Amino acid sequence: MSDLVQDLAEFITAAPTPYHAVAEAARRLTAAGFVEQPESGDWPDEPGGRFMIRDGTVLAWYRPSSAAAGSPMRIFAAHTDSPTLKVKPNPDVGAAGWRQVAVEVYGGALWNSWLDRDLGLAGRLVLFDGTSVLVDVHRPLLRVPQLAIHLDRAVNSEGLRLDAQQHLLPIFGLGTPHEGDLVEFLAAEVGVDPGEVAAHDLVVHDVSPPARLGARRELLAAPRLDNLASVHAGIGALLAAADELNNGGELIPVFVGFDHEEIGSGSATGAAGPLLETVLTQLAGGFDARGAAFATSRCLSVDVTHAAHPNYLGHHEPGHRSVPNGGPTLKVNANQRYATDAPGTAAWRRACRAAGVPTQVFVAKNTIPCGSTVGPILATRLGIRTVDVGIPVLSMHSARELCGVDDPGQLAAAATAFLTDPG
């Protein structure tokens, strides 16, 4: 378990943005013998593992030798993005002798969690020739300073009030800002001509490394557990399923890590887009065969869920609390904010029993609406039975989150059983 947690920590550190998460996933898949499938290339029918990349989204699958047109698929769906602060196209701003970076909020971030942290900057620079260059300044570079209590005496009694336009601008240094400063700095970091940089996709990230904590080191604190913990488990489950199915079976296990889940999934690389449907149709043997294939397929939508917060128990449904190291959690909502139904629950519980993994159930309190996931989107778009699960975390959508050290491994084990379950 310690090795797996360390590997998860290394994966998170290597993936400060969706583009880096995809690159690290591709590296691991390639090392396991998977071959990249170009979107516009021919689709070979021979067995083996392949993967496809589009921007911040990655898909991967394994075709066993016994798979045929209409073979059922088992899909693990997660997302690669996390709430953060994204750099605006014209980033060079400042005031009163300070140089700053213009940012906007990406997703439902807890704004206060980004205050007074040492922040790096990462993403991609896109050149005029259309090529992209990954950049990661993984050292203290930026900081969003909070106002001193002497100048805001009521902050503790009346609460912190932040204006996203005015109060979240990171400090970049001292002096007068000049247009092109940030791009010139980042271009130098990766050795490209700043005059060739046409555009960028950049976000800030916490540079504090993941760390185990607790009296028995039973907890893991890390950035982007939502949802890189699921992406990491999904890649591991796919590779384990490929090894198992290599010895027989017609199931086709599929992994997908979507971008843009935190902002609604409505993009060319999001779960509401056509990319997964296109790939699954190809794997099913074409449009005529996909009806039978989809009818016998299942999807596991994997995203973190809320651990019961000991300081705010009144915010939780008392009969359906999730705790760290209690096993991955089944997520249920009567209004289909999660896609889980009774047959999907049975499939998940069967997988957990086969893997020897405990499981829990999360249901939101009636008076507090829950969030959602890619699960309902995929179930609606594809018509494939989908079940929503995830590991419980505290501080969800914070710059740094907290989970149990046992849960990532238990999730990977149960997901492997799900991907190889012919029932």
Side-chain angles (χ1 to χ4, degrees), residues 64-405:
S65 57
S66 54
S71 287
M73 291 169 278
R74 299 290 181 264
I75 305 153
F76 184 114
H79 66 87
T80 60
D81 62 322
S82 302
T84 183
L85 304 177
K86 184 173 183 179
V87 176
K88 292 181 178 179
N90 299 323
D92 301 300
V93 296
W98 296 96
R99 298 164 66 200
Q100 294 174 278
V101 177
V103 296
E104 57 181 326
V105 178
Y106 178 90
L110 282 170
W111 298 352
N112 65 294
S113 70
W114 292 95
L115 301 179
D116 296 328
R117 288 185 181 272
D118 296 335
L119 303 173
L121 194 61
R124 62 180 178 178
L125 304 177
V126 181
L127 309 184
F128 276 98
D129 64 5
T131 60
S132 295
V133 180
L134 293 182
V135 58
D136 180 14
V137 184
H138 204 93
R139 62 180 184 274
L141 177 68
L142 307 172
R143 188 178 180 90
V144 184
Q146 188 170 344
L147 185 63
I149 193 170
H150 313 78
L151 304 177
D152 187 8
R153 295 285 184 178
V155 65
N156 288 331
S157 59
E158 297 181 8
L160 177 66
R161 300 174 70 95
L162 295 173
D163 181 289
Q165 178 69 22
Q166 182 177 355
H167 299 147
L168 297 181
L169 300 181
I171 286 174
F172 183 41
L174 296 172
T176 302
H178 297 95
E179 184 178 353
D181 280 351
L182 183 63
V183 167
E184 183 175 346
F185 171 81
L186 295 174
E189 287 285 312
V190 293
V192 301
D193 181 354
E196 291 302 310
V197 178
H200 53 74
D201 288 307
L202 302 166
V203 299
V204 305
H205 63 92
D206 178 17
V207 296
S208 301
R212 292 181 65 165
L213 58 90
R216 295 184 295 275
R217 303 182 73 235
E218 67 266 49
L219 299 169
L220 176 68
R224 301 180 297 282
L225 287 172
D226 179 7
N227 193 30
L228 293 185
S230 301
V231 174
H232 178 264
I235 295 170
L238 174 65
L239 296 179
D243 286 341
E244 183 172 334
L245 292 169
N246 189 43
N247 298 320
E250 65 168 340
L251 290 176
I252 301 175
V254 179
F255 165 80
V256 57
F258 289 109
D259 199 355
H260 300 143
E261 188 275 345
E262 296 292 358
I263 55 173
S265 297
S267 72
T269 53
L275 189 56
L276 178 60
E277 182 178 7
T278 299
V279 170
L280 296 184
T281 299
Q282 289 278 7
L283 294 177
F287 190 85
D288 290 341
R290 80 173 195 168
F294 285 17
T296 54
S297 296
R298 284 196 296 271
C299 178
L300 193 67
S301 167
V302 189
D303 202 348
V304 296
T305 192
H306 299 287
H309 198 305
N311 298 340
Y312 299 91
L313 284 181
H315 287 66
H316 298 279
E317 154 60 36
H320 298 87
R321 294 172 180 167
S322 299
V323 296
N325 295 333
T329 300
L330 185 73
K331 301 158 72 171
V332 179
N333 180 259
N335 296 307
Q336 286 291 286
R337 297 289 288 169
Y338 306 127
T340 306
D341 61 6
T345 296
W348 169 249
R349 291 189 181 278
R350 185 167 62 247
C352 288
R353 184 171 64 180
V357 167
T359 187
Q360 309 176 77
V361 181
F362 171 83
V363 177
K365 189 176 180 180
N366 287 341
T367 54
I368 301 179
C370 66
S372 192
T373 69
V374 301
I377 297 172
L378 297 179
T380 301
R381 182 174 183 94
L382 303 173
I384 293 176
R385 189 180 304 283
T386 301
V387 55
D388 272 294
V389 304
I391 66 170
V393 303
L394 286 182
S395 305
M396 190 187 298
H397 285 200
S398 172
R400 197 169 176 86
E401 299 161 324
L402 187 70
C403 74
V405 296

